[in-house]
Amino acid sequence: GRPLAVIARQPRFIAAVLCAISSYALMSLVMTAAPLAMIGCGLTQSDAALGIQWHVLAMYGPSFFTGKLIVRFGKDRIVIAGMALLVACALVGITGITLAHFWITLILLGFGWNFGFIGATAMLAETYRPEERGKVQGLNDFLVLGSAATASLLSGKLIGGPGWAFINMIVFPVVMLSLAALAWSFWLRRTAGREKA
C-alpha cells in the first residue's frame, strides 16, 4: 500500500476526516456540557438524564436507515444534512434555557452526529485501497477519538467559564470549516473529472 502521508494528503481524505472529527467532537462537547447546563439553569437531574436518553436514541436510532439514505442521496449530502442538524442544534441551544430547548438541542445533536459521522466514515472508505484499510482507519480513529476526548474535557472548563451559549457558538465555525473542506474536495474532484473528459 501507499505511505500513510500520501493517503492523508488527498483532499477527499482531509474532508472526510475533518467532517468526522467535527461531528464527533461537537457532539462530545455539547452532550457533556448539556446536563451541567440544565442543572445550572434549575432543572432536575431527572430532566437531564431523560434528555441524555433521548439524545442517545437520536444518535443510534437513525442507523437503521442512514445507510439507505447514503445510497439514495450520496455521502456528501448526508454529511451536509448532519452539519445542518448540528447548526440547528446550536441555534436552539442559544435561543433559550427551558427544558424543551435543552431536549430539542440534544435530539438534534444526536441526529447531526449520526448523519455527519456515518457519512464521513463512508467517505473515508473511498480514499484507501483494501490493503491500506487498517492503517487509514487507525489514523482516522486516533484523530476522531482524540478530538472527542479533548472536547469532552474542555466542556467542563467552558461551562464553568464562558458558559452554555459560548459552547453552542463553537459549533458554527467548526461546521463552516468542515463544509469548506467538503466543498474544496468536491470542486477538485469535479475539475479532475472535466480534465479527464
Side-chain angles (χ1 to χ4, degrees):
R2 296 166 294 171
L4 197 53
V6 172
I7 299 167
R9 283 198 296 266
Q10 297 173 95
R12 190 68 167 168
F13 175 90
I14 294 168
V17 171
L18 193 54
C19 289
I21 286 173
S22 298
S23 301
Y24 220 122
L26 289 174
M27 184 279 297
S28 184
L29 177 72
V30 177
M31 178 197 70
T32 306
L36 300 174
M38 292 173 78
I39 293 169
C41 290
L43 300 170
T44 67
Q45 289 186 5
S46 297
D47 292 333
L50 191 55
I52 293 297
Q53 288 171 4
W54 279 107
H55 165 70
V56 172
L57 185 61
M59 281 178 67
Y60 297 108
S63 297
F64 289 107
F65 54 82
T66 305
K68 292 179 181 177
L69 292 174
I70 288 173
V71 170
R72 181 168 181 178
F73 298 107
K75 303 170 191 79
D76 294 49
R77 287 185 180 147
I78 296 303
V79 171
I80 291 168
M83 296 296 159
L85 286 164
L86 291 173
V87 167
C89 143
L91 288 171
V92 174
I94 288 169
T95 56
I97 54 171
T98 67
L99 181 60
H101 282 94
F102 280 111
W103 281 1
I104 293 169
T105 295
L106 285 167
I107 290 169
L108 290 172
L109 181 67
F111 279 115
W113 173 84
N114 184 283
F115 288 173
F117 181 67
I118 293 177
T121 302
M123 284 171 51
L124 184 71
E126 298 174 3
T127 67
Y128 57 79
R129 300 168 186 162
E131 65 272 16
E132 299 164 345
R133 179 180 181 178
K135 61 184 176 184
V136 174
Q137 290 286 357
L139 175 61
N140 179 65
D141 289 352
F142 173 76
L143 294 171
V144 169
L145 297 177
S147 300
T150 302
S152 183
L153 289 170
L154 281 174
S155 67
K157 184 90 171 165
L158 293 174
I159 200 72
W164 173 246
F166 180 81
I167 287 172
N168 284 282
M169 291 297 291
I170 292 172
V171 171
F172 302 113
V174 174
V175 166
M176 291 305 295
L177 180 63
S178 298
L179 292 177
L182 197 58
W184 172 62
S185 167
F186 176 78
W187 181 78
L188 288 176
R189 290 172 73 198
R190 193 170 180 180
T191 303
R194 285 177 181 170
E195 288 175 357
K196 286 179 182 178

